[in-house]
Amino acid sequence: MRSVITRTALGCLALGVALTLSSCDFPGGSKSDAKKPAATAAPSEDDNWDQAVDAEITMLGALKDIDPHLIDDQQKAIDAAAELCKEIQKPSSDSAGLGQVAVTKFAELKSGLTPQQGDRIVTAVKANCK
């Protein structure tokens, strides 16, 4: 009697596992996958976050190439770049005067910036300004 119960229990267990696995949607596990259209990958919040971080790292690297002291306080550099970005995006912004705006925005980080450095800062920020 004990072996009958054991075999029945094992049979039920095996049946339960088989039903569970057959209901799972494994890639390539069923022919219905071929009928499904390819999903378009929408960017996730993680992707957007990664892109934003990558843009900041790229911008900080470009600022460091201009003058290493510009990124002594990275948060202040990012804040100054964000303010400069707002100026760049203004429809009425005079691109010739943006270099001086950059010198002003980054003056707290590095005094004595030249107009040429200001123009280079504008170029670095503009490349990552979205």
Side-chain angles (χ1 to χ4, degrees):
M1 182 73 167
R2 183 182 227 178
S3 67
V4 172
I5 294 173
T6 304
R7 284 187 292 200
T8 305
L10 287 176
C12 289
L13 180 63
L15 179 62
V17 169
L19 289 174
T20 302
L21 290 177
S22 67
S23 67
C24 292
D25 191 17
F26 292 111
S30 69
K31 292 183 181 181
S32 66
D33 288 344
K35 297 176 188 174
K36 293 180 185 177
T40 57
S44 69
E45 286 183 30
D46 289 341
D47 291 339
N48 291 338
W49 175 259
D50 290 342
Q51 290 172 355
V53 170
D54 288 344
E56 284 181 358
I57 291 170
T58 301
M59 187 215 29
L60 289 171
L63 291 174
K64 182 180 178 185
D65 289 343
I66 296 167
D67 189 308
H69 295 292
L70 288 174
I71 63 165
D72 284 345
D73 186 336
Q74 292 181 359
Q75 188 57 52
K76 284 185 180 180
I78 290 169
D79 293 343
E83 290 177 24
L84 180 59
C85 185
K86 290 177 188 175
E87 295 295 323
I88 291 169
Q89 291 178 335
K90 284 184 180 176
S92 62
S93 69
D94 177 20
S95 61
L98 287 175
Q100 186 56 44
V101 172
V103 169
T104 304
K105 299 284 184 197
F106 284 85
E108 184 180 338
L109 296 163
K110 171 73 170 124
S111 61
L113 290 170
T114 66
Q116 293 80 16
Q117 287 174 313
D119 291 339
R120 290 178 62 198
I121 291 169
V122 170
T123 302
V125 171
K126 190 183 284 188
N128 297 293
C129 189
K130 306 246 180 212

